[in-house]
Amino acid sequence: MRATVIGAGLAGCEAAWQLAERGVSVTLCEMKPKKYSPAHSYEGFAELICSNSLKASRLESAAGLLKHEMELLGSLLVRVAKENAVEAGGALAVDRKGFSDGVTREILGHPLITVVYDEITEIPEGEVVIATGPLTSDSFAQQIKKLCSSEYLSFYDAAAPIVSFESIDRERVFFAARYGRGDDDYINCPMDKAEYEAFHEALVSAESAPLHEFDQQLKVYEGCMPVEVLAKRGQDAIRYGPLKPVGLTDPRTGRRPWAVVQLRKENRAGTLYNLVGFQTNLKFPEQKRVFSMIPGLEHADFQRYGVMHRNTFLDSPRLLEQDMSLKKDSHIYFAGQITGTEGYMESAAGGILAGINLARKLRGQAPLILPADTMTGALVGYITDETVKDFQPMGSNMGILPPLSERVRDKKKRYGMLAQRAMDSLKAYLQEQGL
């Protein structure tokens, strides 16, 4: 049994490790040190770029729950991260060099993994895991584009924030569709003139996040214009854009609001809503401060803040099966940030599943499709959910988990219950599978 893994980042290393641990001979292809992406500089595998933090460790947090699940699935990276941890309060932060060196040492030392240092410009024959990340080389990106045709995405982009449904103040908003056309699918946050002007002033004066050096020449499509950039075009620019109130009547007043912020359902379960037209490059604390001025979002729980960066990722809801294989070619699996999982550990978790499922396929076994109430299962469920139309990368967050059967108002208690349910569910599932 043989397989090729392309990319020795976090996802690629996990995929190669999981395959090799299951008796599959792996050829791991890595273009460093012959060629570096604009973001990479260290020759070791699993290089951390933007931060040395792998986020929270505590079980009752989304990031912590994800890492606990990964440990149950035999993660290499979580183990090496703990071996190279540095003091960071409740977060798992690592010595970057030590972490990369540790992963590299483990990969090079595995008897079933052979590393080829070269840029891959053609998709190899046979069983393949593609884990080339959001900065895939131009030549290989073209190969993926040919494979996936028009459904492949590769551009500079800005994404809008996402909030949890249960954190929206339903006393201050109303459900409606413009002109009463269709179902009342949108949550509408109405503003009067004074509220709008205060919001506009806060928006245009808010501080933007700095771009990475490799994003300095950032060019964004007009349809993805950051809302703060649009707002600076004039006092009423966004009121005639994403905040236009035309076709909407506030049932509490019987009149059309001065401006309206609309929220659209983000997932099938309706636990997440995104702010329509609110692509942004504001710093995260600024997003929290300014967007909490929107009526109904005063206490909103932001499950993902808006980001603006170069990204290369698949339209996974239309391209990938839940086992991480390509719908049109079951010999090819994808893993990591190229699938639309945002974050270091999220990327690695995708590598774990791609590696496990490819190994199981080679053994004639059914794939692991993790329960939807686990963080890993929910992430995969989100990126393969065909009802997600305007797909953007997603990281781990409690909002993608199915709600509890009972409503628990205390967030800490609710998160603890969600995490415990996830761990119990994963353990039971793995036991059913004989793992």
Side-chain angles (χ1 to χ4, degrees):
M1 298 187 295
R2 304 194 63 85
T4 301
V5 176
I6 305 175
L10 282 79
C13 286
E14 283 283 22
W17 184 262
Q18 296 298 331
L19 283 160
E21 286 290 277
R22 288 162 175 78
V24 179
S25 296
V26 179
T27 299
L28 175 61
C29 303
E30 170 56 45
M31 68 181 187
K32 297 191 304 182
K34 288 188 175 182
K35 182 177 180 178
Y36 288 85
S37 81
H40 293 85
S41 59
Y42 189 62
E43 65 180 25
F45 302 160
E47 180 184 358
L48 303 180
I49 302 169
C50 302
S51 170
N52 72 330
S53 175
L54 303 178
K55 301 181 182 177
S57 294
R58 64 188 187 280
L59 176 62
E60 63 274 13
S61 68
L65 172 58
L66 180 67
K67 287 190 281 292
H68 278 76
E69 292 178 2
M70 290 169 65
E71 284 189 287
L72 285 180
L73 293 168
S75 171
L76 167 66
L77 269 62
V78 173
R79 170 167 65 81
V80 175
K82 288 185 174 182
E83 292 169 354
N84 291 275
V86 297
E87 291 296 330
L92 175 57
V94 300
D95 177 300
R96 291 195 214 202
K97 182 178 181 298
F99 174 73
S100 178
D101 289 348
V103 174
T104 304
R105 187 166 50 249
E106 292 280 358
I107 293 293
L108 293 178
H110 200 292
L112 291 182
I113 300 177
T114 300
V115 179
V116 174
Y117 296 96
D118 201 3
E119 179 184 5
I120 302 300
T121 58
E122 299 281 346
I123 296 174
E125 294 183 359
E127 309 297 332
V128 181
V129 177
I130 298 175
T132 49
L135 292 173
T136 298
S137 68
D138 291 340
S139 58
F140 195 66
Q142 290 303 313
Q143 295 300 312
I144 300 174
K145 192 170 185 177
K146 288 180 183 178
L147 180 68
C148 301
S149 64
S150 61
E151 296 172 299
Y152 180 69
L153 306 179
S154 176
F155 49 84
Y156 290 107
D157 197 22
I162 291 174
V163 300
S164 67
F165 174 71
E166 64 182 359
S167 69
I168 299 169
D169 184 353
R170 265 90 86 189
E171 297 297 320
R172 302 208 62 190
V173 303
F174 62 94
F175 286 82
R178 292 191 194 278
Y179 305 108
R181 295 172 182 166
D183 297 328
D184 294 342
D185 292 331
Y186 287 83
I187 295 177
N188 298 275
C189 307
M191 292 182 177
D192 59 29
K193 188 171 186 285
E195 289 170 330
Y196 172 80
E197 291 178 347
F199 174 74
H200 181 270
E201 175 59 31
L203 182 61
V204 298
S205 60
E207 188 176 0
S208 294
L211 297 174
H212 296 298
E213 182 178 347
F214 50 88
D215 282 338
Q216 290 300 312
Q217 303 301 317
L218 195 68
K219 294 181 181 179
V220 181
Y221 295 130
E222 187 73 16
C224 292
M225 181 67 63
V227 66
E228 64 272 13
V229 174
L230 179 60
K232 290 175 182 177
R233 294 181 173 179
Q235 178 75 23
D236 288 323
I238 55 174
R239 201 166 75 87
Y240 287 98
L243 277 74
K244 64 182 178 185
V246 178
L248 293 167
T249 301
D250 186 342
R252 296 172 303 176
T253 65
R255 300 190 302 272
R256 185 175 79 181
W258 184 257
V260 170
V261 175
Q262 288 197 307
L263 280 70
R264 181 174 53 224
K265 188 182 294 186
E266 177 67 20
N267 60 348
R268 183 186 286 112
T271 59
L272 300 173
Y273 275 75
N274 72 68
L275 280 65
V276 178
F278 270 67
Q279 298 90 351
T280 181
N281 189 44
L282 296 181
K283 289 185 173 181
F284 289 177
E286 290 288 78
Q287 292 185 44
K288 175 69 173 176
R289 177 181 68 85
V290 176
F291 298 153
S292 293
M293 296 174 66
I294 298 170
L297 303 188
E298 293 87 351
H299 305 290
D301 191 357
F302 287 83
Q303 300 293 339
R304 183 190 75 191
Y305 286 107
V307 293
M308 180 177 172
H309 54 119
R310 176 186 170 187
N311 220 339
T312 301
F313 61 95
L314 303 174
D315 187 8
S316 294
R318 274 143 289 283
L319 289 171
L320 297 185
E321 302 284 4
Q322 280 193 292
D323 66 353
M324 308 301 286
S325 67
L326 192 63
K327 288 182 178 180
K328 62 166 60 175
D329 190 338
S330 62
H331 297 290
I332 298 175
Y333 289 67
F334 281 88
Q337 291 190 53
I338 197 169
T339 67
T341 50
E342 185 85 336
Y344 287 142
M345 288 291 98
E346 290 84 347
S347 174
I352 291 174
L353 287 181
I356 290 175
N357 281 329
L358 177 48
R360 290 178 68 86
K361 175 193 170 186
L362 290 169
R363 291 182 175 275
Q365 299 172 322
L368 289 188
I369 307 298
L370 301 187
D373 55 6
T374 65
M375 186 57 67
T376 313
L379 271 173
V380 174
Y382 177 81
I383 67 170
T384 57
D385 181 354
E386 292 184 350
T387 68
V388 177
K389 300 302 182 186
D390 185 19
F391 180 63
Q392 290 286 347
M394 176 68 74
S396 57
N397 65 83
M398 291 299 191
I400 61 176
L401 296 176
L404 297 165
S405 57
E406 58 181 301
R407 185 168 186 182
V408 180
R409 293 185 178 276
D410 182 84
K411 185 164 76 171
K412 183 177 180 180
K413 182 179 179 182
R414 182 171 70 252
Y415 283 8
M417 292 173 67
L418 287 168
Q420 191 57 58
R421 182 188 68 179
M423 292 298 289
D424 291 344
S425 181
L426 181 56
K427 289 176 183 176
Y429 176 76
L430 293 178
Q431 186 173 16
E432 290 174 7
Q433 299 298 316
L435 300 173

